[in-house]
Amino acid sequence: MKFELSVPATLSNFGPGFDTLGMALNRYLKIKFEADESIKSNELIIEEGEYSHNVPAAEINMIYKAAEKYCKRNFMLKMKNDIPLKRGLGSSSAANAVTFVLKELLTHEELLKNDSHSLIETIRPRIYNDAIKSEGHPDNITPCLFGGFVTARIANGEGSFLNLPFPESLKLHVLIPDIEVETKLAREILPKSYSLKDVTSNLQNLSFMMAEFCLNSKIPEKLPIFMNLKNLLADRVHQDYRLELCRPCGEVIKMLNNSEKIYGTFLSGSGTTICAVAPEDAESEIKKALHLFEAQNIGVKYYIHNIEYSGLKIKIL
Ligand code: HSE
């Protein structure tokens, strides 16, 4: 038995879309799995990747432990990770997704007789609800498994989602500072109730922003109309509370939002990654904001990402 799995990083809480809008990016967690009588003992091999140093050791690695539990033969697990931990880019969703897929493949080996396409189509709906339950919110795990830009919800314990259009002219400028935030803590600090004004503002922004994206995607031949996208991306449900955990991110978001080149900026997930929505040539504006981190001796990485439309990939070898 030999196969490869790959899942993407994800932006979540996209603008005013708390716990519902998520997007897969072209940045990945990949594993290669091989189980064979000829393998002498179980082994975890960490392959070179930008954030492979964040991969937990075998004893506390959920993917390795799932393989140990469910694989009937000795195995070799290779992992390559480009998704930073505790930065709001869905690293735990990616690990969860891979764990669920691995468990499914190891307990139903007959699935591997399918071609990759039908295997993916079969496996995603089978694990989706369990994966959502283990996450508690659907906006990372949904794009991680299904790819694209999505709106996802949980109702009566069931997850569901729709793929959304995203205007091609917009790029995702992703800033990853060297500041870690625990999602658990970042959820605990959120208020238990909100003012009508804050909730109404988020609902209006969300509804208006999605209408703009849909309208702009339907008329690609026309110049995109992004009226007020900066205001529409604003959130009053989680972002300001969480910026208390990473104040330099607040300063950077403010500076980016002052630039005319940038359509809007938001904190991804529970932070600390910042995503600026802008045309490709906004690079020099973004670089100016990086100095705010650097002046405070905070390392930061900057990438221009595209949407990953595929989500989970499986290659049977
Ligand atoms: N929607 C989730 C939250 C994403 O804000 O807690 C966590 O990365």
Tab-separated table of all heavy atoms in Angstrom, residues 14 38 42 47 76 81 84 90 114 121 151 170 192 207 211 218 233 287 289 291 294 315-316:
chain	number	residue	atom	x	y	z
A	14	PHE	N	-13.034	35.095	6.850
A	14	PHE	CA	-12.704	36.027	5.758
A	14	PHE	C	-13.537	37.306	5.932
A	14	PHE	O	-14.764	37.292	5.814
A	14	PHE	CB	-13.014	35.347	4.417
A	14	PHE	CG	-12.339	35.985	3.235
A	14	PHE	CD1	-11.252	35.378	2.625
A	14	PHE	CD2	-12.800	37.188	2.718
A	14	PHE	CE1	-10.631	35.969	1.526
A	14	PHE	CE2	-12.184	37.775	1.630
A	14	PHE	CZ	-11.095	37.159	1.031
A	38	SER	N	7.830	-5.684	4.070
A	38	SER	CA	9.296	-5.542	4.065
A	38	SER	C	9.790	-4.414	4.996
A	38	SER	O	10.972	-4.319	5.289
A	38	SER	CB	9.786	-5.257	2.642
A	38	SER	OG	9.303	-3.991	2.252
A	42	ASN	N	7.813	0.821	12.319
A	42	ASN	CA	7.145	2.082	11.967
A	42	ASN	C	8.128	3.249	12.041
A	42	ASN	O	8.966	3.298	12.942
A	42	ASN	CB	6.001	2.360	12.949
A	42	ASN	CG	4.919	1.315	12.834
A	42	ASN	OD1	4.825	0.623	11.819
A	42	ASN	ND2	4.108	1.187	13.872
A	47	GLU	N	10.270	15.508	6.038
A	47	GLU	CA	10.967	16.002	4.849
A	47	GLU	C	11.040	17.522	4.889
A	47	GLU	O	10.220	18.182	5.524
A	47	GLU	CB	10.232	15.540	3.588
A	47	GLU	CG	10.278	14.018	3.462
A	47	GLU	CD	9.826	13.548	2.097
A	47	GLU	OE1	8.914	14.160	1.526
A	47	GLU	OE2	10.398	12.552	1.621
A	76	MET	N	5.889	3.400	6.793
A	76	MET	CA	6.801	4.542	6.767
A	76	MET	C	5.951	5.767	6.398
A	76	MET	O	5.238	5.752	5.389
A	76	MET	CB	7.885	4.325	5.718
A	76	MET	CG	8.994	5.363	5.806
A	76	MET	SD	9.949	5.365	4.324
A	76	MET	CE	10.725	3.775	4.446
A	81	ASN	N	5.742	19.890	5.607
A	81	ASN	CA	4.764	20.892	6.025
A	81	ASN	C	5.192	22.316	5.659
A	81	ASN	O	6.263	22.763	6.037
A	81	ASN	CB	4.569	20.804	7.551
A	81	ASN	CG	3.565	21.818	8.030
A	81	ASN	OD1	2.558	22.072	7.376
A	81	ASN	ND2	3.838	22.439	9.163
A	84	PRO	N	2.343	27.227	8.673
A	84	PRO	CA	2.802	27.558	10.027
A	84	PRO	C	1.747	27.222	11.083
A	84	PRO	O	0.552	27.261	10.799
A	84	PRO	CB	3.022	29.075	9.962
A	84	PRO	CG	2.128	29.544	8.876
A	84	PRO	CD	2.032	28.432	7.880
A	90	GLY	N	-4.970	27.533	9.423
A	90	GLY	CA	-5.612	26.217	9.334
A	90	GLY	C	-4.680	25.026	9.483
A	90	GLY	O	-4.982	23.952	8.958
A	114	ASN	N	-10.063	2.313	-6.062
A	114	ASN	CA	-10.651	3.367	-6.908
A	114	ASN	C	-9.556	4.203	-7.565
A	114	ASN	O	-8.430	4.252	-7.085
A	114	ASN	CB	-11.467	4.327	-6.036
A	114	ASN	CG	-12.747	3.717	-5.556
A	114	ASN	OD1	-13.649	3.486	-6.331
A	114	ASN	ND2	-12.814	3.436	-4.259
A	121	GLU	N	-13.812	11.851	-4.179
A	121	GLU	CA	-15.252	12.125	-4.145
A	121	GLU	C	-15.961	11.264	-3.108
A	121	GLU	O	-16.951	11.672	-2.507
A	121	GLU	CB	-15.889	11.868	-5.533
A	121	GLU	CG	-15.441	12.843	-6.608
A	121	GLU	CD	-15.747	14.292	-6.253
A	121	GLU	OE1	-16.891	14.591	-5.891
A	121	GLU	OE2	-14.820	15.115	-6.304
A	151	THR	N	-18.687	29.305	1.741
A	151	THR	CA	-19.438	29.647	2.942
A	151	THR	C	-19.902	28.320	3.524
A	151	THR	O	-20.430	27.466	2.796
A	151	THR	CB	-20.633	30.599	2.667
A	151	THR	OG1	-21.321	30.807	3.900
A	151	THR	CG2	-21.613	30.061	1.642
A	170	LEU	N	-8.393	39.901	-7.926
A	170	LEU	CA	-7.933	40.106	-6.546
A	170	LEU	C	-6.902	39.061	-6.155
A	170	LEU	O	-7.076	37.871	-6.420
A	170	LEU	CB	-9.117	40.009	-5.579
A	170	LEU	CG	-10.222	41.039	-5.747
A	170	LEU	CD1	-11.305	40.840	-4.699
A	170	LEU	CD2	-9.664	42.445	-5.654
A	192	LYS	N	-19.503	36.977	25.192
A	192	LYS	CA	-20.596	35.978	25.176
A	192	LYS	C	-21.843	36.565	24.504
A	192	LYS	O	-22.728	35.831	24.083
A	192	LYS	CB	-20.946	35.533	26.603
A	192	LYS	CG	-19.775	34.869	27.340
A	192	LYS	CD	-19.545	33.435	26.842
A	192	LYS	CE	-18.264	32.846	27.388
A	192	LYS	NZ	-17.035	33.192	26.646
A	207	SER	N	-23.191	40.529	3.689
A	207	SER	CA	-24.145	40.427	2.597
A	207	SER	C	-23.705	41.294	1.407
A	207	SER	O	-23.695	40.850	0.252
A	207	SER	CB	-25.510	40.845	3.148
A	207	SER	OG	-26.362	41.177	2.137
A	211	ALA	N	-22.273	40.079	-2.333
A	211	ALA	CA	-22.965	40.550	-3.540
A	211	ALA	C	-21.946	41.163	-4.504
A	211	ALA	O	-21.983	40.916	-5.711
A	211	ALA	CB	-24.036	41.558	-3.155
A	218	LYS	N	-19.317	37.795	-12.343
A	218	LYS	CA	-20.193	37.505	-13.480
A	218	LYS	C	-19.856	38.369	-14.692
A	218	LYS	O	-20.276	38.089	-15.793
A	218	LYS	CB	-21.655	37.759	-13.073
A	218	LYS	CG	-22.199	36.682	-12.162
A	218	LYS	CD	-23.375	35.975	-12.828
A	218	LYS	CE	-23.796	34.729	-12.105
A	218	LYS	NZ	-24.497	34.989	-10.864
A	233	LEU	N	-14.942	44.637	4.382
A	233	LEU	CA	-14.143	43.566	4.989
A	233	LEU	C	-14.043	43.714	6.509
A	233	LEU	O	-13.539	42.832	7.198
A	233	LEU	CB	-12.736	43.544	4.387
A	233	LEU	CG	-12.578	42.796	3.062
A	233	LEU	CD1	-11.286	43.179	2.369
A	233	LEU	CD2	-12.606	41.286	3.256
A	287	LYS	N	5.062	45.911	1.407
A	287	LYS	CA	6.422	45.845	1.963
A	287	LYS	C	6.679	46.990	2.949
A	287	LYS	O	7.403	46.816	3.917
A	287	LYS	CB	7.459	45.810	0.842
A	287	LYS	CG	7.492	44.416	0.212
A	287	LYS	CD	8.600	44.268	-0.758
A	287	LYS	CE	8.677	42.798	-1.218
A	287	LYS	NZ	9.334	42.649	-2.497
A	289	ALA	N	4.575	48.147	5.029
A	289	ALA	CA	3.963	47.778	6.319
A	289	ALA	C	4.799	46.734	7.067
A	289	ALA	O	4.754	46.666	8.294
A	289	ALA	CB	2.548	47.264	6.093
A	291	HIS	N	7.789	46.810	7.640
A	291	HIS	CA	8.748	47.493	8.520
A	291	HIS	C	8.197	47.685	9.927
A	291	HIS	O	8.948	47.758	10.886
A	291	HIS	CB	9.146	48.850	7.927
A	291	HIS	CG	9.877	48.701	6.621
A	291	HIS	ND1	10.914	47.816	6.464
A	291	HIS	CD2	9.709	49.294	5.422
A	291	HIS	CE1	11.353	47.878	5.216
A	291	HIS	NE2	10.633	48.759	4.560
A	294	GLU	N	9.187	44.664	11.638
A	294	GLU	CA	10.649	44.598	11.765
A	294	GLU	C	11.169	45.597	12.807
A	294	GLU	O	12.078	45.286	13.573
A	294	GLU	CB	11.295	44.806	10.393
A	294	GLU	CG	11.145	43.536	9.540
A	294	GLU	CD	11.119	43.778	8.034
A	294	GLU	OE1	11.299	44.926	7.592
A	294	GLU	OE2	10.911	42.804	7.306
A	315	LYS	N	-3.010	10.683	-4.204
A	315	LYS	CA	-2.375	10.045	-5.355
A	315	LYS	C	-2.032	8.618	-4.934
A	315	LYS	O	-1.288	8.417	-3.950
A	315	LYS	CB	-1.103	10.816	-5.694
A	315	LYS	CG	-0.494	10.476	-7.016
A	315	LYS	CD	0.515	11.576	-7.358
A	315	LYS	CE	1.547	11.096	-8.331
A	315	LYS	NZ	2.680	12.014	-8.392
A	316	ILE	N	-2.585	7.652	-5.624
A	316	ILE	CA	-2.273	6.254	-5.285
A	316	ILE	C	-1.041	5.846	-6.098
A	316	ILE	O	-1.006	6.026	-7.317
A	316	ILE	CB	-3.467	5.339	-5.608
A	316	ILE	CG1	-4.703	5.838	-4.844
A	316	ILE	CG2	-3.163	3.893	-5.210
A	316	ILE	CD1	-6.004	5.363	-5.402
